[in-house]
Amino acid sequence: MKLFYTDVFVLPLPAGHRFPMEKYSRLRAALLASGDFAESDFHLPHAATDDELARAHDRAYIERVSRGELSEREQKAIGFPWSEGMVERSRRSAGATLGACRAALEDSIAANLAGGTHHAFRDRGEGFCVFNDAAVAARAMQAEGRARRVLVVDCDVHQGNGTASILRGDDSIFTFSIHGARNFPFAKEQSDLDIELPDGCCDEAYLQRLDEGLATALDLARPDLVIYLAGADPYRDDRFGRLGLTIAGLAERDRRVLAAARASGVPTALAMAGGYAREVDDTVSIHANTVRLARHIWR
Ligand SMILES: [Zn+2]
């Protein structure tokens, strides 16, 4: 199972910044230590090119990001200060989901050990997202003739608003988002299927709604590829989550998504998306569980 990592492209952040950048290198270390993966499973992705990004983004936006011409306000919405490192990291992160999708279509399952930047819109970023990796990768697979129809299953606790907006009106890519009703983004976009959950929603209620959503999404999407955003932030001890899932509940969520895709015979690419647990190790455990489970389900 190919794993694409970007933790060597560190995004320079001011001291005390609330984004847990260290989770990515810890995740790679945890996966290696698990014994389920060899060094040779880990791959550096290419940096997504302008032409790849432009299938989901405005050329003018890509240029302004690349040249450091984002306004103060735009940088504030993204939540990261602009730097050359931020551009490189954002391109590599999209490249990692692209790589994971290509690998999944060859080997059935693959992962980006970061990514899931679903708050990036066609011409702007927000919520720690610059480029929308899922939209870029889905369009790339279509353009390369590798997949005709794609399903994005977004289980990050925040709605995949950028993905919904970019792909709205595109019948070939189905967007399914299951998220907290009262969480960011406060003005929601319309996905092909949205499931909204109340604050404090716990394992049992979550899993029941998820099952309904998966059945509907797979039925309507008829995908050749699933891109699964396995956000760790529905966790009950997440600083931004507002939901009540346990680590075991999140592993069961992963099992259901992955088993449903496997049962339908649909290759699946993983992206990690958000995770802001009070203890970074919890976030790392949740993400590591996802990747290990994927490997076991497709063994
Ligand atoms: Zn999130």
Side-chain angles (χ1 to χ4, degrees):
M1 177 174 171
K2 286 184 180 153
L3 309 175
F4 293 84
Y5 67 98
T6 51
D7 59 86
V8 292
F9 306 101
V10 175
L11 204 161
L13 294 177
H17 193 282
R18 60 191 182 143
F19 192 85
M21 195 54 67
E22 70 273 24
K23 76 173 182 176
Y24 298 111
S25 56
R26 287 211 214 171
L27 172 60
R28 180 156 60 103
L31 290 171
L32 204 49
S34 73
D36 284 340
F37 300 95
E39 290 270 10
S40 57
D41 292 326
F42 295 81
H43 300 268
L44 276 176
H46 79 291
T49 64
D50 286 357
D51 287 345
E52 286 168 336
L53 295 173
R55 296 195 187 104
H57 293 283
D58 272 355
R59 292 264 179 194
Y61 174 62
I62 300 166
E63 272 180 31
R64 284 188 305 113
V65 170
S66 305
R67 293 181 186 164
E69 293 170 2
L70 295 174
S71 70
E72 200 72 28
R73 199 161 148 231
E74 288 177 298
Q75 292 178 57
K76 216 171 158 194
I78 290 170
F80 298 139
W82 186 90
S83 62
E84 295 275 0
M86 171 226 199
V87 180
E88 182 68 7
R89 163 124 195 143
S90 302
R91 284 184 186 270
R92 295 280 181 167
S93 190
T97 298
L98 260 157
C101 286
R102 286 189 190 123
L105 286 160
E106 283 169 16
D107 308 334
S108 300
I109 183 76
N112 174 1
L113 300 183
T117 44
H118 59 168
H119 301 310
F121 285 74
R122 191 162 183 85
D123 59 359
R124 67 190 167 87
E126 65 178 39
F128 305 139
C129 302
V130 178
F131 298 129
N132 195 304
D133 59 332
V136 167
R139 291 255 165 95
M141 294 311 102
Q142 294 177 322
E144 293 169 15
R146 297 170 195 263
R148 283 188 307 162
R149 303 183 57 81
V150 181
L151 166 60
V152 180
V153 175
D154 188 339
C155 291
D156 188 277
V157 82
H158 305 101
Q159 193 209 25
N161 57 343
T163 318
S165 169
I166 291 170
L167 299 174
R168 190 161 189 179
D170 182 339
D171 293 337
S172 68
I173 306 175
F174 191 98
T175 55
F176 166 36
S177 179
I178 177 167
H179 51 262
R182 294 188 56 226
N183 211 323
F184 176 91
F186 302 107
K188 307 279 195 283
E189 297 291 326
Q190 195 181 340
S191 312
D192 292 304
L193 175 62
D194 286 297
I195 294 181
E196 303 215 309
L197 302 166
D199 284 356
C201 181
C202 57
D203 293 346
E204 202 180 333
Y206 183 99
L207 293 169
Q208 191 186 335
R209 300 299 306 279
L210 175 68
D211 280 343
E212 296 162 11
L214 282 173
T216 303
L218 281 163
D219 186 40
L220 294 176
R222 292 173 288 113
D224 307 312
L225 171 70
V226 167
I227 301 176
Y228 174 34
L229 275 62
D233 49 13
Y235 178 44
R236 64 180 175 188
D237 203 32
D238 192 275
R239 285 177 291 137
F240 307 144
R242 307 181 70 109
L243 297 192
L245 273 73
T246 62
I247 291 180
L250 286 159
E252 178 60 18
R253 170 201 70 173
D254 294 336
R255 196 194 62 75
R256 292 190 189 193
V257 174
L258 295 166
R262 175 88 160 95
S264 302
V266 187
T268 300
L270 310 177
M272 297 298 103
Y276 316 93
R278 266 168 266 276
E279 299 293 336
V280 176
D281 282 345
D282 286 350
T283 300
V284 172
S285 295
I286 294 164
H287 285 321
N289 285 345
T290 308
V291 181
R292 296 181 66 197
L293 206 59
R295 186 182 178 289
H296 288 286
I297 286 175
W298 263 272
R299 186 175 40 202

